[in-house]
């Protein structure tokens, strides 16, 4: 309980400091938000390790735990990127999200997990990494849309000056999508190789939606390479693919674990 409260407080303090830095256009040189953010990440990860140590079976991969782990990955990657440049503004969204989902996981309780083969665990961890990376891509797409919209309307807000130039943000978006696409590809491959009996585990719809998301992300990367796609088209494709991915993993988990089992 204490670890969770301190982690949430650290995340929120980091968010406040980062928001103030962005508001006065100091998110680049200022690093006052970094120590509390790192403390929040350390305690967030430590809490999951403590729960895994005390829980029978494999690591907790149920709905709320998976949400919390993905938010931890998002916060960790945005903190790492933000510590090096002006993309620290991403932390204004990522850090409070991690705080909220950690709190939700803690207060919703924990469920014992079945013992998982190391190959299935590898598949699960690859999936969480892929979702976290592509979720960052979705955040970048939203920021790209907001930046383009503000520039078209000649609305030069402080938060806009805290972001990198439009071309740099767009480049970061596609690099993030490329990394996430590789991770998603590995996730699908390990799923085919290591997960047995898809029908009995109700994984068909999850697999179909994941493959559709993979195709959309792949189509976007191909369009970028072949036709130079950018701007709003890239935003739409990214958000569509991410919506399919959310439905594939968290949508199916929500139905299976919170609707059908409780029903």
């Amino acid at each position: 309980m204490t670890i969770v409260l301190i982690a949430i407080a650290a995340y929120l303090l980091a968010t406040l400091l980062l928001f103030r830095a962005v508001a006065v256009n100091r998110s680049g040189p200022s690093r006052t938000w970094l120590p509390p953010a790192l403390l929040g990440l350390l305690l967030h990860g430590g809490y999951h390790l403590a729960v895994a140590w005390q829980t029978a079976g494999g690591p907790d991969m149920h709905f709320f735990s998976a949400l919390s782990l993905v938010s931890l990955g998002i916060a960790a990657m945005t903190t790492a990127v933000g510590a090096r440049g002006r993309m620290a503004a991403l932390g204004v969204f990522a850090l409070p999200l991690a705080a909220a989902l950690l709190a939700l996981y803690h207060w919703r309780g924990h469920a014992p997990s079945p013992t998982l083969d190391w190959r299935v665990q590898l598949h699960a961890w690859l999936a969480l990494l892929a979702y976290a990376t592509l979720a960052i891509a979705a955040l970048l797409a939203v920021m790209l849309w907001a930046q383009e919209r503000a520039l078209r309307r000649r609305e030069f807000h402080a938060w806009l000056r805290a972001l990198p130039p439009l071309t740099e943000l767009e480049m970061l978006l596609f690099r993030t999508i490329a990394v996430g696409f590789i991770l998603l590809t590995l996730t699908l491959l390990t799923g085919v190789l290591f997960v047995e009996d898809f029908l009995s585990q109700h994984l068909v719809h999850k697999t179909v939606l994941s493959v559709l998301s993979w195709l959309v992300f792949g189509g976007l990367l191909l369009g970028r390479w072949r036709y130079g796609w950018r701007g709003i088209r890239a935003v739409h494709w990214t958000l569509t693919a991410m919506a399919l991915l959310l439905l594939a993993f968290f949508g199916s988990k929500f139905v299976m674990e919170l609707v059908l089992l409780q029903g």
Side-chain angles (χ1 to χ4, degrees), residues 76-94:
M77 284 185 274
T78 54
T79 298
V81 173
R84 299 174 56 189
R86 288 199 292 171
M87 284 313 299
L90 270 176
V92 174
F93 304 99

Side-chain angles (χ1 to χ4, degrees), residues 8-228:
I8 292 171
Y11 276 140
L12 296 180
L13 175 60
T15 303
L16 176 62
L17 293 172
L18 186 53
F19 183 80
R20 289 180 58 189
V22 170
V24 297
N25 196 27
R26 288 193 296 107
S27 61
S30 175
R31 295 292 185 272
T32 56
W33 61 275
L34 194 54
L38 292 174
L39 176 61
L41 291 170
L42 180 64
L43 294 177
H44 191 162
Y47 179 68
H48 274 277
L49 287 175
V51 171
W53 184 264
Q54 298 172 7
T55 303
D60 188 356
M61 292 289 184
H62 291 90
F63 181 74
F64 293 109
S65 176
L67 279 175
S68 179
L69 284 169
V70 168
S71 72
L72 174 60
I74 294 171
M77 284 185 274
T78 54
T79 298
V81 173
R84 299 174 56 189
R86 288 199 292 171
M87 284 313 299
L90 270 176
V92 174
F93 304 99
L95 297 177
L97 176 65
L101 293 179
L102 172 60
L104 186 63
Y105 172 50
H106 175 71
W107 278 291
R108 285 293 301 185
H110 314 285
S113 298
T115 302
L116 300 176
D117 181 82
W118 70 268
R119 295 168 298 180
V120 179
Q121 287 193 39
L122 175 63
H123 166 72
W125 286 113
L126 283 171
L128 292 177
L129 280 174
Y131 300 142
T133 304
L134 292 170
I136 293 174
L139 284 175
L140 289 170
V142 172
M143 295 177 75
L144 178 64
W145 169 81
Q147 191 178 38
E148 281 202 338
R149 185 171 180 269
L151 289 173
R152 284 198 306 269
R153 297 186 176 190
R154 299 183 180 276
E155 297 173 350
F156 303 106
H157 303 289
W159 64 264
L160 186 62
R161 293 192 298 271
L163 296 177
L166 194 64
T167 54
E168 185 179 334
L169 181 59
E170 194 172 71
M171 184 179 300
L172 181 59
L173 168 65
F174 278 99
R175 286 178 178 175
T176 306
I177 292 174
V179 173
F181 182 75
I182 292 171
L183 290 170
L184 184 58
T185 302
L186 293 174
T187 300
L188 294 173
L189 286 175
T190 54
V192 171
L193 293 173
F194 301 149
V195 178
E196 300 177 356
D197 200 353
F198 278 73
L199 292 177
S200 67
Q201 298 184 53
H202 307 284
L203 296 176
V204 174
H205 57 287
K206 177 180 177 180
T207 303
V208 170
L209 289 170
S210 296
V211 170
L212 287 175
S213 177
W214 181 83
L215 289 172
V216 176
F217 276 123
L220 174 57
L221 291 173
L222 179 63
R224 170 71 170 184
W225 171 73
R226 184 69 177 84
Y227 304 108

